[in-house]
Amino acid sequence: MRAMLEQLITLVEQGPVALARVVDTTGPGPRESGAAMIVTQAGEVFGSLSGGCVEGAIVESARQVLATGHAVTDRFGYADGDGIAVGLTCGGEIEVFVERVASDRVPMLSELWRQIADGRPVALATRLDTTAEWKLLRTDSTEAWHDVDRDALALLTAGRSGVVGADECEADASPRPRVFVQVFGVPARMILAGANDFVRALSRTGRQLGYRVTVVDARETFATAARFPSAHEVVVDWPHRYLRNEQEAGRIDGRTVVCVLTHDTKFDVPTIAAALDIEDIAFVGALGSRRTHAERTERLRAAGVTESKLARLKSPLGLDLNARTPDETAISIAAQILAERGNATARPLDRINGPIHR
């Protein structure tokens, strides 16, 4: 839903829409909790929930919700590919909540967007009943809301979306409504050193993957927002100095990715050395040929970088995709980052036994 938030606000300002979100999943599935789809009164559809498996049924539910104003919950399980039942062919189960969103929700949606844009952890809590009541939760929220705030805030702190509370029909000393807590945590950072075509391509790919992308280069002529429209910020500074300042400010954590794509020793060596000095950084990679890597490694050793730190450097950067163009290279690099992040093999799925989604 994060990627569709601006579009949702624009559409709601024009008239009521139906918002469908995956609120719970079991087993393998095409999308995670929080995946969203918007259906307008004119029948326009934006986004997807399952890659085509259940969207038709959700559109029908959306029409019902727009007509009645009452939210509904749809559940889909496994459906045989040769059968007629609507469901998932991957074998998992999903729960989808469909609600009517009108102009009265614009202020809260706008505030949610501001909180996300400012890089502040925030969550949208939604009652999973016909009322579809909303509340914005922040880490400093104190106002009680249906006795679920404590569990909801725990999810926000953990940076994980989920369902809290219980069905009112369940035996409980103090029944609580089920509430979907969609967490919009501070996104992981991708810091790209350099101001060239490879950086421009990777900034696009990184943003699509949900990273907050920073491009940093000391050359003011090349490091401009106009040349890198997909980057969240473009900084004119020496990359190694920028990294150290960001570390001291506490803006680099164990999810941060640093890729050095400068092809210039006076930039490469100090930037890589500064990145490897940050012990809990998630990924440090450097683009270049094997010859460039060998020469650069010797310069890093001469600069005092230890062998244990050098072992963390991913260089030459990227998976073997025979990538040639900047866009192909960006896919190669992104694939390696995803594989490292998920502790995956990066091998073709048709050559691996076992479940696809682990």
Side-chain angles (χ1 to χ4, degrees):
M1 179 173 161
R2 184 197 298 263
M4 301 178 65
L5 193 52
E6 283 185 286
Q7 185 176 37
L8 176 61
I9 294 171
T10 299
L11 291 171
V12 171
E13 288 175 337
Q14 299 170 4
V17 303
L19 173 64
R21 284 181 286 165
V22 175
V23 298
D24 198 12
T25 63
T26 303
R31 302 293 300 278
E32 297 182 348
S33 293
M37 187 173 85
I38 302 169
V39 181
T40 69
Q41 290 181 308
E44 296 175 294
V45 178
F46 303 91
S48 69
L49 302 178
S50 69
C53 298
V54 305
E55 273 73 2
I58 294 299
V59 168
E60 291 303 316
S61 294
R63 289 171 179 161
Q64 173 189 337
V65 167
L66 284 170
T68 65
H70 297 303
V72 300
T73 299
D74 290 330
R75 293 179 176 85
F76 302 96
Y78 173 71
D80 187 340
D82 297 325
I84 60 173
V86 177
L88 305 175
T89 58
C90 58
E93 298 179 0
I94 62 172
E95 179 180 347
V96 180
F97 188 69
V98 189
E99 60 186 305
R100 184 177 183 269
V101 181
S103 58
D104 61 321
R105 294 285 174 87
V106 170
M108 190 174 294
L109 288 170
S110 298
E111 177 61 21
L112 174 62
W113 174 245
R114 283 192 293 271
Q115 294 289 326
I116 294 172
D118 289 342
R120 299 173 184 171
V122 63
L124 177 62
T126 306
R127 279 189 61 154
L128 299 180
D129 56 22
T130 57
T131 68
E133 185 183 354
W134 283 5
K135 181 185 178 182
L136 279 188
L137 298 174
R138 305 178 186 85
T139 52
D140 59 351
S141 296
T142 57
E143 180 184 354
W145 191 66
H146 301 299
D147 297 322
V148 299
D149 276 19
R150 183 173 181 177
D151 293 339
L153 287 174
L155 286 176
L156 176 56
T157 301
R160 178 173 59 87
S161 299
V163 176
V164 299
D167 291 314
E168 294 183 359
C169 60
E170 293 182 358
D172 195 309
S174 56
R176 302 179 302 164
R178 290 180 77 232
V179 173
F180 175 53
V181 183
Q182 184 164 5
V183 173
F184 301 87
V186 178
R189 299 190 64 188
M190 176 180 285
I191 300 174
L192 305 179
N196 53 42
D197 290 344
F198 292 98
V199 171
R200 181 160 52 248
L202 187 54
S203 67
R204 286 195 298 268
T205 304
R207 183 163 188 150
Q208 290 173 339
L209 293 176
Y211 284 97
R212 181 172 183 83
V213 179
T214 300
V215 173
V216 55
D217 193 293
R219 300 168 297 177
E220 187 174 359
T221 301
F222 299 103
T224 66
R227 295 190 69 235
F228 302 94
S230 296
H232 292 87
E233 56 184 350
V234 179
V235 178
V236 179
D237 197 354
W238 285 87
H240 68 280
R241 184 168 61 190
Y242 174 78
L243 283 176
R244 288 177 179 140
N245 290 339
E246 290 298 285
Q247 181 190 19
E248 291 174 1
R251 289 190 286 266
I252 291 178
D253 59 24
R255 304 172 301 157
T256 302
V257 169
V258 174
C259 294
V260 180
L261 300 92
T262 49
H263 291 298
D264 189 328
T265 301
K266 66 177 177 291
F267 286 102
D268 288 3
V269 172
T271 303
I272 294 170
L276 293 176
D277 271 342
I278 305 173
E279 293 184 1
D280 63 347
I281 204 166
F283 185 99
V284 180
L287 194 64
S289 66
R290 296 192 185 281
R291 178 178 177 179
T292 297
H293 169 66
E295 294 174 351
R296 188 166 51 205
T297 299
E298 288 306 312
R299 290 190 174 93
L300 287 165
R301 289 192 180 101
V305 179
T306 65
E307 294 300 322
S308 62
K309 291 180 179 179
L310 285 173
R312 296 168 47 215
L313 175 62
K314 310 301 179 183
S315 177
L317 179 59
L319 297 186
D320 180 16
L321 304 183
N322 197 26
R324 300 289 184 179
T325 68
D327 285 321
E328 290 174 346
T329 302
I331 297 299
S332 169
I333 295 170
Q336 183 178 11
I337 292 170
L338 290 177
E340 294 279 345
R341 189 178 73 184
N343 193 28
T345 66
R347 294 175 58 202
L349 291 174
D350 63 355
R351 301 180 187 176
I352 300 176
N353 296 322
I356 294 174
H357 302 286
R358 294 177 295 170

